C-alpha cells in the first residue's frame, strides 16, 4: 500500500511516517521541508497553499490513500490562520480526489465537539467553541459531502490529548521539560482538575497508521485510549517519570472556558481496527 502523508515533517507526522514504514507501507512524505522525515520514505516538498498546475494527485505519486495531517497552529486554538487556511485545505483535498484519490484520511480533533461531558463517539453532536474546532468541523462536514459525491472513502481520525517528550511540539509536557532545563523550580499551571483522554505519541502513531491501512472501518474514528485522567494527575506523573525538579503552581492560570470537566473518546472502533489481522 502506498500512503501519502501530508505534514510529514511535523511532530506527529514524523512518528506516523515511521509507524507506517514499520508496518510495511510505502510512504510518500510531503511537507514544506522534509529534513526530519525517516530516510526510508520518499520525500516530496510542497506548499499546500500554492498548488502546482496539473494533476496534483499524480504529481504526489498517485497514492492509494492520503493521510492529511498538515495544519498550522494546531496548539493556538484561536489563531486567525484556523479559518483563513480552511479554503486551502479544501482546495487541496478536493484536487486530490478529482485527480484520482480513492481513500482519504484526515486528522481531526476533540475540539470539533466543543463542550461535552463524558465519552465522545461518532454520533456525538458537534458544537465547536474555538476557531480550531470550528475549522476542523467545517472541513469534516465539507469532505464528508464531497467524498460521498465522488465515491471516495473517508476516514476522519479524531485525536485527543497527545503526550510526548519531543521538544519540537508545543504541548504542556514540552514546556515543562524546557522550564526544567532552564532551572526553574515552579511551573505556572491551571487547577488541573479537567479530565482528558491522554495518549502517547507512539500509540497514536500506531493507531493512525493502522486505521489508514485498512478499509473495513471508515467514517469518524476516535484515536484514543478511552480512559479519562485529570490533567494534574497526568502532568504530575510526567514530572515523576522524567525526574524533573519542578513543582506545579496550581491556579496560576484559569482553566479554559471551552474545556469540559471530563471529556474522552469512545475507543471501540479503533480497538476493532487494531484487532483486524
Amino acid at each position: 500500500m502506498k500512503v501519502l502523508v501530508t505534514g510529514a515533517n511535523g511532530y506527529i507526522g514524523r512518528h506516523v511516517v515511521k509507524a507506517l514504514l514499520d508496518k510495511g507501507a510505502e510512504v510518500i512524505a510531503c511537507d514544506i521541508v522534509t529534513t526530519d522525515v525517516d530516510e526510508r520514505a520518499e520525500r516530496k516538498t510542497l506548499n499546500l497553499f500554492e498548488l502546482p498546475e496539473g494533476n496534483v494527485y499524480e504529481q504526489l505519486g498517485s497514492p492509494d490513500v492520503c493521510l492529511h495531517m498538515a495544519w498550522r497552529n494546531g496548539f493556538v486554538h484561536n489563531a486567525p490562520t484556523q479559518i483563513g487556511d480552511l479554503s486551502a485545505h479544501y482546495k487541496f483535498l478536493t484536487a486530490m480526489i478529482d485527480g484520482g484519490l480513492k481513500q482519504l484520511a484526515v486528522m481531526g480533533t476533540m475540539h470539533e465537539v466543543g463542550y461535552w461531558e463524558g465519552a465522545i463517539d461518532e454520533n456525538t453532536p458537534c458544537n465547536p467553541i474555538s476557531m480550531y474546532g470550528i475549522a476542523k468541523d467545517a472541513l469534516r462536514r465539507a469532505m464528508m459531502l464531497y467524498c460521498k459525491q465522488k465515491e471516495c472513502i473517508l476516514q476522519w481520525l479524531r485525536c485527543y490529548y497527545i503526550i510526548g517528550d519531543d521538544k519540537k511540539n508545543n504541548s504542556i509536557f514540552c514546556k515543562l521539560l524546557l522550564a526544567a532545563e532552564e532551572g526553574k523550580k515552579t511551573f505556572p499551571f491551571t487547577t488541573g482538575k479537567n479530565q482528558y483522554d491522554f495518549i502517547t505519541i507512539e500509540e497514536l502513531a500506531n493507531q493512525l497508521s493502522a486505521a489508514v491501512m485498512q478499509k473495513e472501518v471508515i467514517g469518524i474514528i476516535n484515536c484514543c485510549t478511552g480512559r479519562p485522567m485529570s490533567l494534574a494527575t497526568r502532568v504530575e506523573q510526567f514530572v515523576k517519570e522524567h525526574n524533573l525538579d519542578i513543582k506545579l503552581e496550581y491556579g496560576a492560570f484559569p482553566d479554559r472556558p471551552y474545556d469540559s470537566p471530563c471529556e474522552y473518546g469512545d475507543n471501540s472502533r479503533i480497538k476493532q481496527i487494531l484487532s483486524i489481522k
Side-chain angles (χ1 to χ4, degrees):
M1 173 178 280
K2 185 187 293 186
V3 183
L4 170 70
V5 180
T6 68
N9 205 65
Y11 169 56
I12 303 172
R14 286 179 285 116
H15 288 86
V16 173
V17 168
K18 181 180 183 302
L20 284 165
L21 289 164
D22 289 346
K23 285 180 168 66
E26 180 183 348
V27 178
I28 303 169
C30 176
D31 213 325
I32 296 175
V33 295
T34 56
T35 52
D36 296 330
V37 172
D38 192 303
E39 293 182 354
R40 294 174 292 168
E42 179 183 352
R43 304 181 185 195
K44 295 276 188 180
T45 301
L46 177 68
N47 183 346
L48 300 184
F49 301 105
E50 298 175 4
L51 295 183
E53 296 292 330
N55 189 321
V56 66
Y57 168 73
E58 292 180 350
Q59 292 175 41
L60 290 176
S62 301
D64 298 305
V65 54
C66 171
L67 173 54
H68 185 57
M69 304 184 67
W71 198 273
R72 286 200 291 179
N73 295 323
F75 287 94
V76 187
H77 292 166
N78 285 308
T81 54
Q82 302 296 354
I83 301 300
D85 291 348
L86 185 55
S87 61
H89 288 284
Y90 179 78
K91 182 179 180 180
F92 169 70
L93 295 177
T94 54
M96 289 289 291
I97 294 168
D98 290 346
L101 182 69
K102 297 302 181 183
Q103 182 181 350
L104 170 66
V106 182
M107 185 171 172
T109 172
M110 64 181 183
H111 294 289
E112 300 157 37
V113 175
Y115 191 93
W116 184 262
E117 295 187 34
I120 295 170
D121 63 20
E122 63 272 20
N123 299 310
T124 301
C126 292
N127 184 28
I129 46 180
S130 70
M131 290 299 178
Y132 177 51
I134 290 169
K136 283 284 190 179
D137 186 55
L139 183 63
R140 177 182 61 83
R141 293 173 187 271
M143 295 318 301
M144 285 176 66
L145 180 62
Y146 201 81
C147 286
K148 184 176 181 179
Q149 293 173 345
K150 299 292 184 173
E151 298 184 345
C152 175
I153 291 172
L154 176 64
Q155 295 167 312
W156 191 266
L157 307 176
R158 187 172 280 159
C159 299
Y160 289 73
Y161 212 120
I162 305 160
I163 301 172
D165 58 7
D166 189 316
K167 294 176 185 176
K168 292 187 178 181
N169 76 79
N170 294 303
S171 72
I172 189 172
F173 302 99
C174 171
K175 292 174 182 177
L176 267 168
L177 290 173
L178 294 175
E181 284 187 2
E182 293 170 3
K184 295 179 180 178
K185 297 299 181 182
T186 60
F187 186 84
F189 198 50
T190 64
T191 65
K193 294 179 180 179
N194 298 78
Q195 295 185 60
Y196 302 104
D197 193 321
F198 295 96
I199 188 169
T200 65
I201 185 65
E202 293 82 9
E203 178 54 28
L204 177 62
N206 176 52
Q207 292 187 10
L208 291 170
S209 57
V212 302
M213 292 183 71
Q214 58 81 47
K215 298 180 181 179
E216 294 181 32
V217 182
I218 62 175
I220 297 173
I221 302 166
N222 288 312
C223 295
C224 61
T225 66
R227 300 186 302 273
M229 179 184 292
S230 76
L231 181 59
T233 298
R234 192 59 188 88
V235 172
E236 292 281 12
Q237 183 179 327
F238 184 86
V239 169
K240 185 176 181 180
E241 289 170 351
H242 291 79
N243 298 311
L244 303 182
D245 184 20
I246 194 167
K247 292 188 179 297
L248 301 178
E249 187 182 348
Y250 288 102
F253 295 125
D255 293 322
R256 296 184 303 197
Y258 54 87
D259 285 339
S260 74
C262 181
E263 187 176 34
Y264 58 100
D266 178 328
N267 68 340
S268 57
R269 305 195 83 213
I270 192 64
K271 285 171 66 178
Q272 179 185 349
I273 289 170
L274 294 174
S275 69
I276 296 173
K277 302 300 183 182

